Amino acid sequence: MNLTTAEEGKEYIIRQIDTDDEELDAFLFSLGCYAGEPITVVSRRRGSCVISVKDGRYSIDSQLAEAIVV
């Protein structure tokens, strides 16, 4: 399951980042999104969602949300 289908307000553990794009992978790593890290979907908007990772909140688009497998 990826973040596009994750339930809002529930904490998940990132299993993997499913992308072949090294730049996208590096960007997600800089946000703290990597395997074993807890992540929460705070809210969803049209075409994007707000996530909470570590002590930060970030708005990511659906492409990024699909790449994060929980």
Side-chain angles (χ1 to χ4, degrees):
M1 169 172 61
N2 59 32
L3 289 185
T4 58
T5 57
E7 186 179 324
E8 289 181 28
K10 185 176 177 185
E11 184 174 87
Y12 294 92
I13 301 296
I14 299 173
R15 301 260 182 245
Q16 70 180 25
I17 303 299
D18 188 19
T19 182
D20 294 330
D21 186 352
E22 289 182 27
E23 189 175 314
L24 180 62
D25 194 33
F27 174 71
L28 288 172
F29 186 82
S30 73
L31 295 181
C33 294
Y34 46 84
E37 196 63 36
I39 189 170
T40 305
V41 176
V42 177
S43 67
R44 277 202 186 79
R45 302 278 185 245
R46 215 184 300 173
S48 69
C49 65
V50 176
I51 59 168
S52 175
V53 179
K54 298 195 179 217
D55 291 331
R57 288 187 178 202
Y58 307 100
S59 179
I60 60 172
D61 65 9
S62 59
Q63 180 187 9
L64 289 173
E66 288 174 5
I68 302 172
V69 178
V70 293

